């Protein structure tokens, strides 16, 4: 039997597109499954990824407040609850294995624009070597800026996890970076006052739970650690108080950088 080549090609492309087609899936797509069954499926999937027990608390929270569970784009032919929850667990476990302080920076993917070099070189009368050094310095600062927000979360986690908070690594909750283990409080962290866009704020304000929002650096180099300490201590049921400072944070990132020279890259 002789097949028309165009027909076979179109059939092949259609088959590939069907497999590649994705749909947005959240935990609300599976309301017909009882919570008890969801938890059993979740525990079975945890064994595959060797997930730690603290993830149990986050899972119980998203069963209670389903709108704070993340939404994933999954293949249409792989969009069962098992697929969703495996993606959720994997997101968390991979983040646990790749903590920010162990991060190794990679060279940037985008090439530098030669026109930018030309503008700087001629405006400042720099030689070729000088403008190349400036580009390396720029890359270093951008590299450090890209990882700093995650280092900030790691520093905060080190200080508040002993007080009953969980670091929601890997975007396990929507617009939430930390939660109390019992689901009584939620916290979103930003590095600077201008690092949150309107879309992110809208998502946070539209959630069914109150999310405390905090940023480290305000205008005019004013640091806001007192506000964060107040939030943490407000929900604190232990005998220890939280007293994070900018000096402690700088000490933390300095030690991390000294121990891990690959955390930034100048290329």
């Amino acid at each position: 039997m002789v097949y028309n080549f165009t027909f076979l090609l179109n059939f092949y492309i259609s088959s590939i597109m069907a497999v590649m087609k994705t749909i947005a899936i959240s935990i609300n797509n599976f309301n017909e499954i009882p919570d008890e069954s969801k938890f059993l499926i979740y525990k079975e999937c945890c064994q595959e990824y060797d997930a730690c027990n603290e993830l149990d608390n986050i899972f119980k929270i998203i069963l209670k407040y389903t709108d704070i569970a993340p939404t994933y784009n999954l293949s249409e032919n792989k969009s069962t609850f098992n697929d969703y929850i495996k993606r959720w667990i994997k997101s968390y476990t991979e983040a646990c294995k790749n903590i920010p302080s162990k991060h190794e920076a990679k060279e940037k993917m985008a090439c530098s624009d030669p026109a930018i070099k030309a503008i700087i070189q001629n405006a400042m009368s720099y030689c070729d070597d000088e403008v190349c050094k400036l580009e390396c310095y720029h890359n270093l600062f951008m590299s450090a800026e890209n990882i700093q927000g995650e280092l900030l979360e790691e520093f905060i986690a080190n200080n508040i996890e002993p007080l009953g908070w969980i670091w929601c690594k890997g975007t396990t909750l929507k617009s939430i970076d930390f939660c109390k283990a019992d689901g009584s409080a939620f916290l979103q962290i930003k590095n600077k006052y201008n690092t949150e866009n309107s879309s992110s704020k809208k998502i946070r304000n539209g959630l069914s739970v109150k999310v405390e929002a905090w940023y480290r650096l305000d205008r005019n180099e004013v640091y806001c650690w007192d506000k964060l300490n107040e939030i943490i201590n407000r929900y604190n049921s232990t005998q220890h108080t939280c007293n994070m400072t900018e000096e402690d944070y700088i000490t933390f990132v300095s030690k991390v950088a000294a121990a891990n020279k690959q955390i930034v890259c100048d290329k």
Side-chain angles (χ1 to χ4, degrees):
M1 182 180 294
V2 179
Y3 291 94
N4 181 278
F5 175 77
T6 303
F7 170 80
L8 290 174
L9 180 61
N10 289 335
F11 177 78
Y12 175 75
I13 293 174
S14 299
S15 299
I16 295 297
M17 292 300 293
V19 172
M20 293 177 60
K21 186 178 180 181
T22 60
I23 53 177
I25 298 292
S26 75
I27 200 168
N28 282 323
N29 289 85
F30 308 102
N31 290 333
E32 74 282 359
I33 303 176
D35 285 353
E36 295 80 4
S37 299
K38 287 177 183 173
F39 193 78
L40 290 175
I41 295 170
Y42 155 78
K43 291 302 287 184
E44 290 177 0
C45 294
C46 278
Q47 296 177 5
E48 180 178 344
Y49 292 97
D50 194 26
C52 56
N53 291 333
E54 69 180 15
L55 191 58
D56 289 0
N57 290 319
I58 305 179
F59 185 73
K60 291 173 183 176
I61 289 170
I62 66 171
L63 287 180
K64 184 176 182 180
Y65 306 108
T66 57
D67 65 319
I68 67 175
T71 298
Y72 298 124
N73 290 322
L74 300 178
S75 299
E76 195 170 30
N77 62 335
K78 290 186 177 181
S79 55
T80 66
F81 180 73
N82 292 58
D83 296 315
Y84 173 83
I85 209 62
K86 284 182 179 180
R87 172 73 176 272
W88 187 78
I89 296 169
K90 185 178 179 181
S91 174
Y92 182 82
T93 55
E94 287 187 349
C96 289
K97 295 174 184 176
N98 299 283
I99 59 173
S101 56
K102 303 300 181 183
H103 169 79
E104 290 188 9
K106 295 180 174 59
E107 295 183 16
K108 63 181 183 180
M109 300 296 291
C111 63
S112 298
D113 190 337
I116 301 298
K117 285 186 180 180
I119 293 170
I120 294 173
Q121 187 168 6
N122 288 280
M124 305 303 295
S125 299
Y126 288 144
C127 66
D128 289 343
D129 286 345
E130 287 174 323
V131 78
C132 285
K133 285 183 180 179
L134 286 175
E135 183 182 7
C136 289
Y137 297 152
H138 170 75
N139 291 338
L140 276 172
F141 273 82
M142 290 299 296
S143 182
E145 188 170 306
N146 288 338
I147 192 63
Q148 198 217 162
E150 296 178 48
L151 288 173
L152 178 61
E153 289 186 23
E154 185 175 344
F155 168 76
I156 293 171
N158 292 342
N159 284 272
I160 71 175
E161 283 182 336
L163 305 179
W165 290 80
I166 298 175
W167 183 9
C168 303
K169 306 182 192 76
T171 319
T172 42
L173 296 181
K174 187 187 300 180
S175 297
I176 295 170
D177 299 309
F178 293 91
C179 68
K180 288 284 286 186
D182 60 0
S184 60
F186 302 89
L187 177 63
Q188 185 180 49
I189 300 295
K190 296 293 181 183
N191 186 51
K192 292 176 67 177
Y193 69 93
N194 61 347
T195 50
E196 181 179 39
N197 57 39
S198 58
S199 177
S200 176
K201 186 176 182 179
K202 184 178 180 180
I203 291 173
R204 185 183 70 241
N205 291 340
L207 297 176
S208 60
V209 298
K210 178 184 177 182
V211 182
E212 303 275 4
W214 175 85
Y215 50 81
R216 163 180 162 264
L217 184 57
D218 207 341
R219 295 173 176 82
N220 302 319
E221 294 190 17
V222 175
Y223 297 100
C224 305
W225 291 103
D226 287 346
K227 293 180 180 179
L228 180 58
N229 291 326
E230 188 277 326
I231 292 172
I232 301 303
N233 290 325
R234 192 193 317 153
Y235 297 100
N236 189 5
S237 58
T238 72
Q239 295 180 343
H240 304 284
T241 58
C242 188
N243 187 33
M244 291 175 282
T245 66
E246 180 65 12
E247 292 76 15
D248 292 338
Y249 175 59
I250 296 299
T251 297
F252 169 75
V253 295
S254 298
K255 288 182 177 178
V256 166
N260 179 13
K261 304 293 187 182
Q262 286 73 44
I263 201 167
V264 291
C265 179
D266 64 356
K267 297 179 181 179

